[in-house]
Amino acid sequence: MKTEIEIDNEVESEIDSIYLEDIDKDFIKYPGKSSVDNNEKLNDEEKIEIIASHFGAIMKTLGLDLNDDSLKDTPHRVAKMFVKESFSGLNPANEPSVTLFENKYQYNKMLVEKGITLYSYCEHHFVPIIGKAHVAYISKGKVIGLSKINRLVQYYAKRPQVQERLTNQIGEALKKAIGTEDVGVVIEADHLCVASRGIKDTGSSTVTTFYSGKFLNEEMKREFLSLIK
């Protein structure tokens, strides 16, 4: 009978072989953003096929019966969810186009979009990050369609993330899209990697902030924070 160590070594060897044969090494790397060149080599259906194959192998390794009516389509369902929904922000083709309008009303105060629903995934354990994003900016002559703010938030959230990076990405993207330095972002989120495993703390949440331009001013910052309470 094989020892546990021998079995583990065989499994690792098989997984390494699969990766070398089916996936470009650079494609599976994730330094916090998608590997654009390698990502674009595969269309969505090809990605789904590869992920489904590997996820099916994971399920089998866990001892699940893929002949079961309830489980047989799960690898494909999960793969499709990853590519089309949960991690769709890894595909640059899904970056939202931004619609800008002239600030005809000369509104020169902060505009706040608060309570934007945010779903992301912790890149360390691939479990959900669930929270709210609050975004504010001051126009420099252009205003953005409100739904586009939500779409920018979702685009950067739909990938394996850490909350600090996500907050900065949203802030920088908004600055670039609107053409203003005056941007503030606050994200409040629950991390299931903390709540559902490990320490299993369901009472804590994480808050991150991004401030630039006029939002670095303490008075402006206080006004923004008071509006999102």
Side-chain angles (χ1 to χ4, degrees):
M1 179 176 290
K2 294 181 180 179
T3 67
E4 186 175 342
I5 292 176
E6 288 173 330
I7 294 173
D8 286 344
N9 287 338
E10 286 184 6
V11 171
E12 288 181 8
S13 177
E14 183 177 351
I15 290 173
D16 288 342
S17 176
I18 291 172
Y19 277 145
L20 289 172
E21 291 175 6
D22 292 346
I23 302 179
D24 186 292
K25 281 185 177 180
D26 290 332
F27 177 67
I28 62 173
K29 291 180 180 178
Y30 181 68
K33 60 180 180 179
S34 59
S35 181
V36 176
D37 291 340
N38 294 287
N39 200 21
E40 291 179 344
K41 289 180 181 178
L42 300 172
N43 61 40
D44 282 358
E45 294 310 312
E46 290 169 331
K47 294 175 191 175
I48 290 170
E49 183 179 354
I50 292 170
I51 293 169
S53 174
H54 292 310
F55 199 81
I58 291 171
M59 292 176 67
K60 288 179 182 177
T61 303
L62 291 172
L64 296 171
D65 179 10
L66 293 187
N67 292 315
D68 187 288
D69 285 345
S70 180
L71 296 175
K72 64 180 182 180
D73 294 325
T74 296
H76 183 268
R77 280 193 294 263
V78 170
K80 184 177 179 182
M81 177 185 71
F82 280 178
V83 173
K84 296 289 191 179
E85 299 177 71
S86 302
F87 305 133
S88 59
L90 289 172
N91 188 346
N94 293 326
E95 183 173 2
S97 59
V98 173
T99 305
L100 297 178
F101 305 94
E102 293 294 331
N103 186 10
K104 296 179 181 179
Y105 305 108
Q106 300 301 306
Y107 182 77
N108 58 3
K109 306 293 184 183
M110 76 170 71
L111 182 146
V112 180
E113 184 81 356
K114 62 183 283 188
I116 300 170
T117 300
L118 183 148
Y119 287 97
S120 190
Y121 281 78
C122 162
E123 68 180 35
H124 301 134
H125 295 95
F126 272 48
V127 292
I129 299 171
I130 304 171
K132 299 288 185 182
H134 314 288
V135 177
Y137 75 94
I138 299 173
S139 172
K140 285 286 181 65
K142 299 283 187 178
V143 295
I144 187 172
L146 294 179
S147 68
K148 300 303 182 182
I149 298 177
N150 298 58
R151 292 184 188 279
L152 277 174
V153 170
Q154 298 304 332
Y155 174 66
Y156 288 102
K158 289 182 179 295
R159 58 184 72 183
Q161 274 288 13
V162 295
Q163 188 172 323
E164 299 92 329
R165 182 198 303 126
L166 173 59
T167 308
N168 287 338
Q169 286 177 331
I170 293 169
E172 293 294 345
L174 199 60
K175 284 168 57 178
K176 180 180 178 182
I178 306 176
T180 179
E181 286 293 314
D182 306 327
V183 169
V185 179
V186 174
I187 293 179
E188 307 170 81
D190 297 326
H191 292 240
L192 266 65
C193 59
V194 174
S196 67
R197 56 159 302 281
I199 193 66
K200 295 182 179 176
D201 179 0
T202 59
S204 65
S205 60
T206 302
V207 180
T208 48
T209 62
F210 174 96
Y211 301 118
S212 67
K214 293 180 180 178
F215 284 87
L216 293 171
N217 177 278
E218 290 301 320
E219 184 177 347
M220 185 72 69
K221 195 181 298 184
R222 282 195 298 272
E223 180 182 350
F224 174 38
L225 293 176
S226 70
L227 290 171
I228 64 174
K229 285 182 178 179

